[in-house]
Amino acid sequence: MRNLLTGASAACLLAFGAGAARADEGMWTFDNFPAAAVKATYGVSIDQAWLGHVQANAVRLSTGCSASIVSGQGLVLTNHHCVADCAQDLSTATSDHLKTGFLTDSREEERTCPGMQAEVLLSIKDVTDPVRQAAAGKTGADFIKARNAAIADIEKSNCADKEAVRTCQVVNLYQDGQYKLYTFKKYADVRLVFAPELQTAFFGGDPDNFNFPRYDLDMSFVRLYEGGKPVATPGRMVWNPAPPKDGEPTFVAGNPGSTCRLLTADQLDFLRDVSFPMTLTQLAELRGRLIEFGKRGPEQQRVASHELFGIENSYKVYVGQLQALSEPGFLAGKRQADAELKAKVAADPALAARIGDPWEAIAKVQAERASLYAPYMLLEGRAGFYSPLYGYAVDLVRAAQERAKPNAERLPEYAQARLPLLEKEVLDVKPIDQALNQLQIEFWLLKVREVLTADAPQTQGLLGKDSPETIAARLSASSLADPAVRKALWDGGLPAVQASKDPLIQYVLATDAAARAARKTYEEKVAGPTGQAAQKIAAARFAVYGDRIYPDATFSPRLSYGKVAGWTYRGQTIPATTVFKGLWARATGQDPFALAPRWTAAQGKLKDDTVFDFVTTNDIIGGNSGSPVLNAKGEVIGAAFDGNIHSLGGAFAYDGAINRTVVTSTAGATEALLQVYGRTALVDELLAGSTKSGAKR
Amino acid sequence: MRNLLTGASAACLLAFGAGAARADEGMWTFDNFPAAAVKATYGVSIDQAWLGHVQANAVRLSTGCSASIVSGQGLVLTNHHCVADCAQDLSTATSDHLKTGFLTDSREEERTCPGMQAEVLLSIKDVTDPVRQAAAGKTGADFIKARNAAIADIEKSNCADKEAVRTCQVVNLYQDGQYKLYTFKKYADVRLVFAPELQTAFFGGDPDNFNFPRYDLDMSFVRLYEGGKPVATPGRMVWNPAPPKDGEPTFVAGNPGSTCRLLTADQLDFLRDVSFPMTLTQLAELRGRLIEFGKRGPEQQRVASHELFGIENSYKVYVGQLQALSEPGFLAGKRQADAELKAKVAADPALAARIGDPWEAIAKVQAERASLYAPYMLLEGRAGFYSPLYGYAVDLVRAAQERAKPNAERLPEYAQARLPLLEKEVLDVKPIDQALNQLQIEFWLLKVREVLTADAPQTQGLLGKDSPETIAARLSASSLADPAVRKALWDGGLPAVQASKDPLIQYVLATDAAARAARKTYEEKVAGPTGQAAQKIAAARFAVYGDRIYPDATFSPRLSYGKVAGWTYRGQTIPATTVFKGLWARATGQDPFALAPRWTAAQGKLKDDTVFDFVTTNDIIGGNSGSPVLNAKGEVIGAAFDGNIHSLGGAFAYDGAINRTVVTSTAGATEALLQVYGRTALVDELLAGSTKSGAKR
């Protein structure tokens, strides 16, 4: 299923890495980690064994998160908000795991998370040449198509006959500057082991999101299974329950989702003036609808609340990013940086001849982009506005159509290598709230009519003589909420899809041509020309800065370095750590500052001065959620779960003075697991064979 | 009551008129109308008699609209959306005048509109010198206070003992460049006579708002009463039911609310980067809540729908304004215009010495403004977020406090001259929906916590240990919905207010100091320094351009000129008129494109080619709603009700090629009144003594 929360990702698809990185800056690939800089700054030696150990235990979750293997029995540490979808899917009107938590006393009680897949990176191989050659000389949509076809071929051939246990992915780095084949070990059966209450994991709620000081146990555990049994993972990372020390070096291994650090200033203008205002206002309105929907009753509150979390989280990210772009002098500085790189290129005639003026080419694209962006986003990029049933329908219709084509001819998300996960996502059992789904489709069609206008052919194609309200009500009678119906359509392929009487399938069959057309036009006029120009800028950057640069984030495995440290802003200094005592002080008894009953009961048993959350200077971004925070020995001392408010500008630039990673510490977590949740067996598993330094039993 | 929908007004308070106006540009005062330009462009002679006749029949409505006297018995033409509040207030769960319309068969059925007051301009007198002198040498908040005190004194003394029938208002023109005392004849009893169904007045709804072609009967009638009887108005404007002719000259007399045509580029940067994003996202979220609130049931739908119209209308205005500001080259052009005026000043040493560099002073203010804007708007400018009960509470508390002070010491909205209308607004009977009111207060407090953060002292002052939801529920138990309670508090003054047990009164008493402080800080750091600098820029502009400039709009009587004309945009030409035939084609049967039953029934009786709506080049803006559109003879040929989408950029600049006023024609209205609504007596009244040219009986 298409992840519709990755608007930032789409917006910044064409970003690439900055000039030579400063201290603590960068989301580095495992094959280009700046060990010398780390040695110089922190005196820590990072060798291949260290890197190999970390890479082998760093996990990517298909739900858009990061994680780590922390026991010999396949136990995986991640954030609560990374398994909140799962906890929601495993809940019912009478059993709400977001409210009460999810606790297991035996392996038998561990339950598979719908749609979740875990991956561990096995190897990296450079495939830049064949991909480049396939697209050489092509322009516009042909450039995109040829590149994607080459990638699809490499992914398919390298994982042939191993799809059940391997994922092959060509990762685009430095904006078409490099292509590397990442091969992952794949785990398709991931089961929920432990999740605290949402109000514990997300204490402070949206008001405290991206803030610090913080008092969140945003930590959960899942377990990898194969053949119905836990996977043996003897090489696991060590869980070290000692508290962090101010200034101690830290490393974060994870999958940062998307940064836009070196878009040209013209591209950033576009984000500020066109993309962000449209996205923010739509998220805000949908947020209002979800809040009010939740007031219909407790069950509506339950089903809407998790959806709302995602919307509010995205909303706050965009607000922070827009503020960063609007900061006086910021865009002028970006324009200056563009000019400096151009000047360095111009000073070298041979380089200048090879590079040309891709900055101007990108500038020219922006005007066209301003008029094509809305139809592209509304018909394709954000079509359905998070409606799960609409998402199923599009995937079922398109997968049926695309699977009938040769691999190289398909839309890339339906290429052979991508189908196993897609099939899992479409077929796994998940509860669907029909009324909420209706709200989402109605909202989508209302925005189509509002933004594109009632007279636009695209609007008329989607609405005919009907209103958004009428169509949404009609489509919500879809039977796609039934997994058996989805399976029949998936297995039956195009004939089954075309014969389906389901209103949503019929609707997508009737309207999908317009969505594909909007996408093709956007690729032809925007993505293609931009990709070609960005390739040139990337080449200029390699020529000028060599390998002292890191690629922009693309939700692929990365490693960052930094240290435990607070920060000072406008004269106010924020310490690096919080302790349990602060939680008691901040609890008002009212949502979102209310303690879960287990915590109120356990208050006397927890030590007031135990470190709960802390911050580090590591350079991370959304997608890093759940990443292990490691000490110099490579031991886990926390799970990264957020950035501070200043980190949101990190989409465009890293500022080591104020940009901070927010972490739930193993110290606080270990104590809470024992004293609040009574998870003796779980803690025993975590500490088995560890140094036990600092263990609190 | 404070009109909370005038965010644009607050944002642009510091605007002033452009350089020498181009053809059709300008919202001119009656004492500086460019008759020579009109003569040169259109060959029409506008003399004092013409101006006097129009001024004497042009009406300002206290609800933020314009209107005109169109019969000898005090009948007043305005828009439906200008009386929609009234129609809503006169409705109940079982009698919905927005749905069914409001039709009267006799004077006895005409009903007073709560809170509505009508004013007709009697005279204009220059009072620039005394106001200037009072504020001379003052800075910051003292500048604002001294100016306001002088104004309060002039207004009070000139209307002394005549408050029941006169309004005295000092109008700020050319941004503290001129102050003029406008004296109005006042009508405090305005009764609703005729309103069509909302779906007829607002056919096409929000999707078609600010669009054209259009098919709206956005027209209603009220009547002026004195002593319980209709006012005799023999000098009324003539209702001419002839259709408009392409190219014929047109004049619009009304009260444009707010323009920002010559803010400096730095001030426009602030609007784009800080003000509009915050305003737009808040409106969007509230919109989502109101839409979903309306889905709770038919009664909630009814009470929310009119509130929703206001929100959606404002939202679309801001979207259009933001688009205009973000148009490539627009802000660069503004910066260029600033530089040109500065250069002209610099070229004249004496002038340069007098003016200094107010542009730099304004630039410096913007950084401070960026941090003060949010607390100012949330605590004061938009406090309560349209909650009527909160509005009552603030007015009751502050009026009691302010009335105890000398006139010159009061907040200006509680000065003696403003109290009669305020009292009427607070005491008139209006229905209040408690649940909707609770939603508005909750939303406001949620935004306070979100934007200012949970840790801000202002947030803690408003919330304490409670949540926004808890407080809103508590405050909604207020008894201020009862007019008798309000009257007792108004009449009882400060002792009664302080003794009140009403939770909302107690809440405002406890929190209002913080709101006043935020306002005072904003006046000291932003409004004061900006006002002083803008005064200098206005002086520079007068020195350079003389009287060939018009002041920015300030919701005071103005006159614009232009002609009936369509426009061409991106190769597409839009004709100037629509006819009934187009309405039948556009009707889909589904909201908001569904015909009211009366119209479906009357379709065969209406002539397909009768002009329904039309567009002109007149330069108008929000506040002009309901303005009479006049032909060269000064006869009414329509009621202006909207601008096209390009007119929204008119807040910052007028573009005669595409900026259009949208009008309901008297031709279509006359036919509809007779054939759809059977309003024979009303049409007889309109046509009595008129030329009857084109009358269709």
Side-chain angles (χ1 to χ4, degrees), chain B residues 170-340:
Chain B
V170 172
V171 175
N172 186 329
L173 298 167
Y174 302 96
Q175 182 45 31
D176 289 86
Q178 287 180 350
Y179 305 94
K180 297 213 173 171
L181 173 65
Y182 278 50
T183 303
F184 297 86
K185 167 71 180 142
K186 164 176 132 178
Y187 301 95
D189 183 357
V190 181
R191 303 190 187 178
L192 188 59
V193 174
F194 169 82
E197 311 85 356
L198 174 62
Q199 71 186 109
T200 300
F202 197 43
F203 180 82
D206 178 68
D208 269 5
N209 201 10
F210 296 105
N211 285 342
F212 193 84
R214 199 69 166 280
Y215 307 90
D216 289 3
L217 185 72
D218 194 350
M219 188 178 267
S220 286
F221 295 94
V222 293
R223 194 183 302 280
L224 310 178
Y225 277 73
E226 276 188 323
K229 288 180 183 163
V231 173
T233 48
R236 59 69 182 107
M237 285 177 181
V238 169
W239 174 276
N240 184 340
K245 292 183 203 72
D246 225 315
E248 94 172 285
T250 50
F251 302 83
V252 174
N255 306 277
S258 170
T259 52
C260 321
R261 296 232 173 134
L262 273 180
L263 293 188
T264 73
D266 291 307
Q267 287 172 299
L268 297 182
D269 275 345
F270 173 85
L271 293 183
R272 183 194 59 186
D273 292 341
V274 181
S275 169
F276 285 1
M278 185 176 118
T279 301
L280 268 170
T281 49
Q282 291 176 355
L283 288 175
E285 186 178 341
L286 185 53
R287 177 192 196 182
R289 292 198 62 166
L290 290 172
I291 290 173
E292 205 60 32
F293 178 88
K295 291 185 188 279
R296 290 190 200 172
E299 177 59 3
Q300 286 88 349
Q301 177 83 41
R302 187 184 74 77
V303 298
S305 67
H306 182 58
E307 196 68 27
L308 183 60
F309 162 74
I311 299 291
E312 289 186 334
N313 190 62
S314 297
Y315 175 82
K316 210 161 183 177
V317 168
Y318 282 111
V319 166
Q321 291 187 358
L322 182 58
Q323 280 175 354
L325 288 182
S326 302
E327 202 70 26
F330 183 85
L331 273 166
K334 283 284 174 187
R335 212 165 275 284
Q336 176 81 9
D338 288 353
E340 282 167 14

Side-chain angles (χ1 to χ4, degrees), chain B residues 37-59:
Chain B
V38 174
K39 179 76 180 174
T41 311
Y42 293 110
V44 176
S45 297
I46 301 299
D47 58 16
Q48 280 306 316
W50 195 103
L51 290 170
H53 173 71
V54 170
Q55 181 185 313
N57 289 289
V59 176

Side-chain angles (χ1 to χ4, degrees), chain A residues 98-133:
Chain A
L98 287 177
K99 188 169 179 188
T100 62
F102 184 89
L103 276 60
T104 52
D105 288 317
S106 68
R107 298 282 185 276
E108 287 66 38
E109 291 174 23
E110 298 174 1
R111 291 180 62 193
T112 301
C113 287
M116 188 182 284
Q117 178 172 294
E119 293 163 330
V120 173
L121 178 59
L122 297 176
S123 66
I124 301 175
K125 179 183 165 196
D126 196 316
V127 295
T128 306
D129 284 349
V131 176
R132 277 261 172 104
Q133 282 155 19

Side-chain angles (χ1 to χ4, degrees), chain A residues 83 98 125 145 155 226 230 250 333 360 402 452 476 529 603:
Chain A
V83 303
L98 287 177
K125 179 183 165 196
K145 190 175 173 187
E155 291 177 346
E226 275 187 326
T250 49
E360 178 59 22
E402 297 294 306
L452 305 183
S476 77
Q603 184 168 346

